[in-house]
């Protein structure tokens, strides 16, 4: 069983829709990262969370430490949001990150 | 400067060739990572350097040989690779020992082994 599970695996949305991607983890963590990867491209860090909620533009990330769960929300989705979104967690101060399998998002105009 | 720079972006090599991938960062990060990523899969950890010392080697075959000659640079040397080694090789860096250190990735080096 993966330490980090994401859902859904694939998601198709119409432009303008509100999108939620979920991440659950089974280990104690010091931080959770949301990452974005466009097709054929490198990975960009969107958020790093250890508690609460963060917002950048149309993206919102929340984390519930007690429930070991995080969500990434995209408001007013746009075709340029089409990418794979990956949840990764870091345990303690170690240099080991555990990755979810990613959620492939396609936003249709 | 919040960049991790990887070169080359694309590399095609034969199974008998020797080549190297390069990764540089100038953010003062003391942890550097190498990941292998196959299509539609999450990155798989290969190596971690912490303070220029190899701290994690995820049972990677010896045909992959990493080095970290200084805190800003890591190389991944490739020799006698197999076609199944074709993948996107990603380098990342973070502050070592800081649990809240953000992870920065390079654009990757796309390797094709013929």
């Amino acid at each position: 069983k993966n330490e980090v599970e994401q859902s859904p695996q694939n998601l198709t949305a119409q432009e303008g829709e509100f999108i939620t991607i979920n991440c659950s983890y089974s280990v104690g963590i010091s931080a959770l990262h949301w990452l974005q990867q466009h097709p054929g491209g490198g990975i960009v860090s969107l958020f790093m969370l250890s508690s609460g909620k963060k917002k950048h533009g149309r993206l919102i990330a929340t984390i519930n430490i007690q429930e070991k769960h995080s969500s990434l929300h995209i408001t007013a989705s746009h075709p340029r949001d089409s990418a794979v979104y990956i949840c990764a967690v870091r345990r303690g101060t170690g240099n080991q990150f555990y990755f979810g399998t990613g959620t492939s998002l396609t936003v249709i105009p | 400067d919040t960049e991790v720079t990887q070169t080359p972006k694309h590399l095609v090599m034969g199974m008998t060739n020797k080549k190297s991938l390069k990764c540089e960062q100038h953010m003062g990060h003391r942890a550097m990572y190498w990941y292998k990523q196959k299509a539609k899969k999450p990155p798989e950890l290969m190596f971690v350097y912490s303070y220029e010392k190899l701290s994690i080697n995820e049972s990677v075959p010896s045909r992959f040989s990493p080095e970290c000659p200084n805190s800003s640079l890591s190389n991944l040397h490739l020799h006698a690779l197999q076609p199944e080694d074709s993948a996107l090789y990603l380098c990342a860096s973070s502050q070592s020992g800081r649990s809240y250190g953000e992870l920065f990735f390079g654009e990757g080096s796309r390797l094709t082994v013929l």
Side-chain angles (χ1 to χ4, degrees), chain A residues 25-74:
Chain A
Y25 52 91
S26 57
V27 295
I29 69 168
S30 57
L32 181 143
H33 300 249
W34 280 104
L35 310 167
Q36 179 194 56
Q37 186 172 30
H38 281 101
I43 295 175
V44 174
S45 178
L46 298 175
F47 293 103
M48 182 181 65
L49 294 161
S50 54
S51 65
K53 177 178 174 179
K54 286 191 176 179
K55 183 175 189 289
H56 289 157
R58 295 179 294 105
L59 272 59
I60 303 166
T62 63
I63 188 167
N64 184 318
I65 297 292
Q66 286 74 29
E67 294 186 6
K68 292 187 165 62
H69 181 269
S70 176
S71 292
L72 176 67
H73 305 287
I74 304 175

Side-chain angles (χ1 to χ4, degrees), chain A residues 7-12 102-106:
Chain A
S7 63
Q9 283 192 315
N10 297 285
L11 182 55
T12 301
T103 295
S104 179
L105 171 65
T106 303

Side-chain angles (χ1 to χ4, degrees), chain B residues 13-80:
Chain B
M13 60 187 289
M15 290 191 286
T16 58
N17 291 159
K18 282 186 182 181
K19 296 284 184 184
S20 297
L21 306 180
K22 182 179 177 182
C23 175
E24 280 188 292
Q25 55 86 17
H26 299 285
M27 293 177 278
H29 290 169
R30 303 307 293 271
M32 294 184 77
Y33 309 77
W34 284 100
Y35 290 91
K36 174 183 176 180
Q37 188 179 31
K38 291 284 215 179
K40 301 188 186 301
K41 298 287 187 184
E44 297 174 30
L45 183 65
M46 300 175 73
F47 303 104
V48 180
Y49 274 92
S50 178
Y51 292 88
E52 297 91 70
K53 287 187 171 31
L54 187 64
S55 62
I56 297 175
N57 176 344
E58 290 289 316
S59 303
V60 179
S62 59
R63 57 186 184 269
F64 295 91
S65 173
E67 68 165 347
C68 194
N70 61 62
S71 59
S72 302
L73 173 65
S74 180
N75 298 307
L76 185 62
H77 302 296
L78 315 171
H79 177 233

Side-chain angles (χ1 to χ4, degrees), chain A residues 30-31 33 35 37 39-48 50 86 88 90-97 99-102, chain B residues 31 33 35 37 42-43 45 48-50 55-56 58 88 90 94-103 105-108 110:
Chain A
S30 57
H33 300 249
L35 310 167
Q37 186 172 30
I43 295 175
V44 174
S45 178
L46 298 175
F47 293 103
M48 182 181 65
S50 54
I86 302 169
R90 185 175 195 174
R91 300 187 68 178
T93 57
N95 292 321
Q96 178 70 292
F97 290 81
F99 289 82
T101 52
Chain B
Y33 309 77
Y35 290 91
Q37 188 179 31
L45 183 65
V48 180
Y49 274 92
S50 178
S55 62
I56 297 175
E58 290 289 316
L88 181 67
L90 291 159
S94 72
Q95 292 172 313
S96 183
R98 287 270 310 269
S99 60
Y100 304 113
E102 197 168 343
L103 194 57
F105 281 87
E107 288 287 317
R110 188 163 297 283

